[in-house]
Amino acid sequence: MLEYHEIIECIMAALDAEIPYTAGHSKRVSDMAEILCGLLDLNRSKTRMIHIAAHLHDIGKMGIDDAILNKEGKLGGQEWEMMKTHPQIGANILDKSHLLAPFNKIVLHHHERFDGKGYIYGLKGKEIPLGSRIIALCDSIDTMTSKRNYRDIQTFDFCYHEIEKI
């Protein structure tokens, strides 16, 4: 797994170049996920799996129209529906490689929510793979604490209260 971690970082750097306002997001999410895995006392193998999956969690955005990815302001209904397909696109991309296929379920479910109100499948609680739950949390924190085209940076206190609602 570690042999190709560098290649994964290069692929995700290509995504960063395509969506400049989210540059560094996958690295921040993967670093945060690795720290969280340590706090949860997960073994090294599981931690590496989740860390690498976190790098790859948004790879499916390569299949989303640039006009949607780089839109100023909030997405419309149809645009949002298209954006919600990125986990499935990502899982399909990873399925093309026997080396990357083990990450596909974690990537596929990284937008599920513990309360069942996430997407793509509306899984809830422990139906969601642990790695996906960890990435979802880290992804949410990084997204809320980063400047976006459609809103300002949120505080960690705001993040805490938003996550607590789920």
Side-chain angles (χ1 to χ4, degrees), residues 8-26:
I8 290 167
E9 288 179 343
C10 290
I11 292 167
M12 297 318 294
L15 181 62
D16 284 348
E18 187 173 334
I19 319 168
Y21 82 90
T22 62
H25 170 70
S26 292

Side-chain angles (χ1 to χ4, degrees), residues 18-19 21-22 31 37 42 61 65 78 80-82 94 100 111 113 140 149 151 154 164-166:
E18 187 173 334
I19 319 168
Y21 82 90
T22 62
D31 290 347
C37 287
L42 298 182
K61 287 185 178 177
D65 189 302
Q78 193 170 17
W80 180 238
E81 289 305 312
M82 178 56 93
L94 298 176
L100 298 177
H111 277 294
R113 288 178 30 165
S140 296
N149 287 343
R151 61 145 185 79
Q154 303 297 322
E164 192 176 45
K165 290 178 189 177
I166 306 172

Side-chain angles (χ1 to χ4, degrees), residues 59-129:
I59 195 168
K61 287 185 178 177
M62 290 181 174
I64 304 297
D65 189 302
D66 287 348
I68 294 172
L69 292 174
N70 294 308
K71 181 179 178 180
E72 295 285 333
K74 290 190 176 188
L75 298 178
Q78 193 170 17
E79 293 165 327
W80 180 238
E81 289 305 312
M82 178 56 93
M83 182 63 86
K84 289 185 344 186
T85 66
H86 84 271
Q88 183 66 64
I89 294 168
N92 293 347
I93 290 169
L94 298 176
D95 267 343
K96 304 291 185 221
S97 164
H98 73 279
L99 294 174
L100 298 177
F103 304 103
N104 71 352
K105 293 286 186 246
I106 298 172
V107 169
L108 178 64
H109 298 298
H110 81 274
H111 277 294
E112 302 290 354
R113 288 178 30 165
F114 209 75
D115 63 5
K117 295 180 181 175
Y119 59 90
I120 292 179
Y121 297 100
L123 301 181
K124 62 183 174 183
K126 293 189 178 180
E127 295 173 345
I128 305 165

